[in-house]
Every structure is written in C-alpha cells, then in structure tokens.
Amino acid sequence: MQELAVDKTGNPKWRDRQITGPGGGIKMDWYKEADAALAARLELNARYAAELEMSPIDEETRRSFQLKASKSLQAKERLQSEEELMLAEARRRKASVPVPHASELKLTPKAEPFREALAHALAEFPYVTGVRVGDLHERTAMAKSYIGVWDLVAKGNLNKHGAKLIERSKIASGFDLNPTEHWGEVKAKIRQVLLPRANQLLQLASVQRLLDEALARGERALVCNGVVFWYEPDGHLGWQVKSTDSGKSEEGTTLWTEGTIVSANHGRLVILPFIKDNGERVKGHTRNAPGDGPSKPRHPSQYVEIPFKVLNSDLMIGLFGELPYE
C-alpha cells in the first residue's frame, strides 16, 4: 500500500505506507490478496479525506491539497484500469498457448529444485518468459532463455523493480513485446494494437445497442480506458473510434467529468477536459498525434462542443472479451 503525504517542501508525494507490526516495530503495509488491499484502500481514503477536512489549516491550503490528492489518485486509478484492459487482451491473445507440464520444462541444474513451483506459476500465464515462484516473501524469480531453458535470476533477493518487470511481462509478452523496455513506450505500442480491435467492437450487436442507447440520451462521446466512441453526424459518418492522449494520464491531470470537448478539426486523438493545479478548468479538444500530420479542419459552422461520459472500466474489458452488454 502506498499513501500520498506532504514532504518537507510542502508537496504531496507517494511513499510506501508503514504500520505498526505485532511486536511493536514498524513494517510495510502489504497484502497477499488484491481484494483485501482494495477494501483497505477505500477505508483509508475515506479516513484520510475526513482528517484533511478537519485539519487546522487555512481553507485555500486545504482545497489545494484536496485537489492534488484527487488528481494523483485519479491518475493512479486510470493507469490501473488501462493496464487491466491490456492484461485482459494479452490473455485473450495467448489463450491458445498450452500450459506446460512440469516434466516438459527445461531447467538448468541450479533451477531444478524449482520445477514444480515453476509449473505452478506458469499454469495461469504460460506465455511469459519471466515468473516469480513460491510465496511473495521468498523473493525468488526465474527467466526463460531464447533457447527455452529456465534459470534462476533471483534466489531470495528479488527486488521491487524485478517484481515489477515480472508483472509487466504478463501484459507485454501477450503482445510479443519486451517488458524491460521503457514502459510508456511499450504501452504506446499496445494502444496502437488495441485501436483496430476497438474498431471491431463497432460491429458487435451488443456495442451497437450501447451506442444507440447513448445517442438516444444525447451522448455523443463515450470514454473508457484510452478508447473514445465518438459520434460524427456530418457526412453520415456515424460512430467512430478515437483514442485519448495517453500523456495526460501519465502526468496525473485530473479529468473534469462535467466538462466538454470542443472539436474544431477531425483529429484522431481526443484530449479530455482537465483541471490545472490552480483549479482552472480546461475544455477538451481534438487533434492528431505527432507524426500524423495536421488534422483536417472543420468549417467554423461545423465546430461542435459536446459533453462526454466515462464508462465503467469493467465494461470495456467485457467488450474486448466480447461479452454481452448488459
């Protein structure tokens, strides 16, 4: 668990949360199950918000901290939702990879004692080339060479960075990408892969129903996990798929969910409305990505300013798995 705390400079920074252990000492606040961590997160966030509301500071400072906390938390949540979608698609792409039996695995002599643990780790993600074996506290990891032989890369000394690379490999390996490369660039490549997949969703009857119902409510932009379903009435184009600007979520801008998007061109990127640190609300807009060339401008009479709706992240994951829309 991490917490956002004000440092000596007066700026909120993320740090590992520490708690009092059974013997009275200090230990890291960690969880074996994600559900338990998520439940604790909700309780802690409510408590911290209440404490900030009651703290003896001036109102301007309090409001600044509240905005920065909301901004940082939302950025973390958006990245988490995006990676959950990418993981779901990675597993779908590698669904045909067979789960290896323990006897089929090739190991070096020093890795041989971990044969059964390796088979157990690969049961859920058979396509990865790096895994963590045993319980979390054992800090042991294995990797597969280019000739298909597994070896120990960390026996008892797996660090936080190494553990992060193993988790990232569950996503990157599903798209045949390298998790050790710059993670932002890896995810940018994955977004490019997912966009045609999102276009395929427009052919699903369940998605067509979702969009028809949205249009009946006057909604012309639906946003979820980097994908935007965008309705273009001029020229009888109908619903299109665009993508959001990934840089904003990395930087931690706060979405202004009551804001609007002003489109003066036919750019393929949708820059969502956001709130600056000083509280200024900036309207969204459309543009092309770097390297795309200039976006085709609209005639001033065709400029559109429309609200947008953020869909539940689980819905997009379900749609990518082609589950029926409820």
Side-chain angles (χ1 to χ4, degrees):
M1 186 73 71
Q2 289 188 323
E3 61 185 1
L4 193 65
V6 179
D7 61 14
K8 294 180 180 179
T9 66
N11 295 313
K13 299 287 185 181
W14 287 102
R15 69 182 184 189
D16 292 335
R17 185 170 185 265
Q18 297 180 336
I19 58 175
T20 304
I26 300 298
K27 68 170 188 174
M28 307 297 287
D29 185 18
W30 64 277
Y31 301 78
K32 291 185 177 181
E33 300 294 337
D35 288 345
L38 293 174
R41 181 194 68 167
L42 294 175
E43 181 181 346
L44 286 168
N45 283 344
R47 193 180 83 194
Y48 286 157
E51 290 175 353
L52 178 57
E53 187 66 36
M54 299 300 295
S55 60
I57 56 177
D58 65 87
E59 192 57 35
E60 183 177 349
T61 301
R62 186 195 333 277
R63 178 57 188 150
S64 175
F65 283 156
Q66 287 172 331
L67 181 60
K68 289 178 178 179
S70 173
K71 185 175 182 177
S72 297
L73 184 60
Q74 188 180 88
K76 291 273 190 181
E77 291 173 340
R78 288 175 65 191
L79 288 175
Q80 179 181 339
S81 295
E82 179 183 62
E83 291 182 6
E84 286 175 352
L85 171 63
M86 291 179 174
L87 177 60
E89 177 63 6
R91 299 184 70 174
R92 187 196 69 83
R93 286 171 169 263
K94 296 297 183 179
S96 61
V97 176
V99 176
H101 190 272
S103 62
E104 301 171 342
L105 297 170
K106 298 178 181 179
L107 289 82
T108 63
K110 68 176 182 179
E112 185 59 42
F114 297 90
R115 179 177 292 274
E116 292 297 332
L118 174 60
H120 178 75
L122 291 175
E124 189 174 5
F125 297 96
Y127 58 87
V128 298
T129 56
V131 297
R132 186 175 193 158
V133 295
D135 294 332
L136 291 178
H137 69 274
E138 292 184 5
R139 301 167 67 86
T140 300
M142 304 179 71
K144 185 168 66 171
S145 70
Y146 70 96
I147 60 174
V149 179
W150 288 89
D151 196 7
L152 290 174
V153 292
K155 184 179 180 182
N157 61 351
L158 178 65
N159 58 28
K160 187 174 182 178
H161 179 66
K164 185 180 293 185
L165 290 179
I166 287 174
E167 289 302 307
R168 288 176 175 177
S169 72
K170 297 175 182 178
I171 296 174
S173 296
F175 295 87
D176 298 318
L177 297 172
N178 187 349
T180 64
E181 294 181 356
H182 185 278
W183 190 232
E185 295 177 1
V186 171
K187 292 207 297 182
K189 293 177 182 178
I190 294 176
R191 291 187 192 103
Q192 291 303 309
V193 173
L194 290 181
L195 196 56
R197 173 98 172 109
N199 274 297
Q200 294 174 9
L201 295 178
L202 293 176
Q203 308 305 316
L204 294 177
S206 56
V207 178
Q208 291 174 5
R209 176 185 162 195
L210 180 153
L211 298 178
D212 286 344
E213 292 177 357
L215 193 59
R217 294 191 298 267
E219 297 166 357
R220 292 167 51 186
L222 305 179
V223 181
C224 187
N225 283 336
V227 175
V228 182
F229 293 105
W230 177 277
Y231 186 76
E232 193 72 51
D234 296 318
H236 305 288
L237 295 176
W239 286 101
Q240 298 176 301
V241 171
K242 295 179 182 284
S243 59
T244 57
D245 179 21
S246 60
K248 293 301 181 184
S249 62
E250 303 284 352
E251 295 163 7
T253 19
T254 306
L255 272 183
W256 172 21
T257 54
E258 295 82 23
T260 56
I261 300 168
V262 179
S263 180
N265 54 55
H266 294 276
R268 70 177 182 86
L269 286 183
V270 177
I271 313 304
L272 299 175
F274 61 94
I275 304 175
K276 293 183 177 180
D277 280 342
N278 62 7
E280 178 186 351
R281 301 190 175 203
V282 180
K283 290 184 178 181
H285 58 280
T286 53
R287 65 172 175 81
N288 272 352
D292 286 350
S295 55
K296 182 181 177 181
R298 297 179 188 271
H299 187 275
S301 65
Q302 295 178 328
Y303 285 6
V304 290
E305 180 172 353
I306 61 174
F308 70 99
K309 179 179 181 181
V310 178
L311 298 176
N312 184 285
S313 300
D314 293 339
L315 173 61
M316 183 57 71
I317 293 173
L319 291 176
F320 266 66
E322 299 186 7
L323 298 177
Y325 161 59
E326 296 295 340

